[in-house]
Amino acid sequence: MLHLGTETDSLTTATTPAAPDTPVCAPFPEEYGPAPCDLVTVPARQGLEAVDILRRDTGRGVGPVLHDGACDTLGFLVPPGTADAWDVPGSACTRTAGRGLRIPAEPPGTGNDWLLPPEADSPVTDPTVLRAALDQAARLIEAADSCS
């Protein structure tokens, strides 16, 4: 699992869907560093499929994504507060104790790397769009595995 420093809290899954007006990470004053975010962690296979779906099928695209080679997971940066309403089976959303995770320039921890690095003007991934992409990815993987 991706570990992103001391600001992260516990892993949570929630039972209510995210509100449609969930804010994206707003710009922070430069002296505070990048905006805070939560982290949705999924198995790498499903995450890679979701990245393809997001890049191909949506106009909004996908924000920064971390790859943890040791645990074979991907982590999507999402707006703070997403963990309060995250309910996608097979994934987890790391709550950041209300402060949010600061997007680091370098991937945190050994064995981690950016699949899609943060860019100055790129937002984090919209959790509603991510949820739909992860659901579609799970269905595609299930269909592919049933043909084997």
Side-chain angles (χ1 to χ4, degrees):
M1 178 169 311
L2 296 168
H3 298 282
L4 297 169
T6 58
E7 290 190 45
T8 58
D9 196 355
S10 61
L11 293 180
T12 63
T13 56
T15 57
T16 56
D21 56 359
T22 301
V24 296
C25 292
F28 260 49
E30 198 170 315
E31 65 267 24
Y32 296 111
C37 299
D38 286 355
L39 182 76
V40 171
T41 307
V42 299
R45 184 176 178 200
Q46 183 180 13
L48 290 169
E49 194 69 49
V51 167
D52 285 346
I53 291 165
L54 289 167
R55 294 180 90 182
R56 180 183 62 237
D57 296 341
T58 67
R60 296 190 228 178
V62 58
V65 178
L66 281 165
H67 176 246
D68 181 341
C71 293
D72 202 25
T73 59
L74 291 187
F76 293 81
L77 298 181
V78 294
T82 298
D84 296 334
W86 192 254
D87 62 350
V88 177
S91 69
C93 190
T94 303
R95 186 179 48 206
T96 56
R99 296 179 304 226
L101 156 74
R102 302 283 176 179
I103 302 173
E106 294 297 319
T110 305
N112 298 332
D113 200 2
W114 290 112
L115 178 68
L116 298 173
E119 297 177 9
D121 62 344
S122 67
V124 295
T125 303
D126 179 298
T128 304
V129 173
L130 178 58
R131 177 180 282 115
L134 290 171
D135 288 345
Q136 183 178 352
R139 289 190 304 273
L140 289 170
I141 291 168
E142 184 178 343
D145 287 351
S146 68
C147 291
S148 303

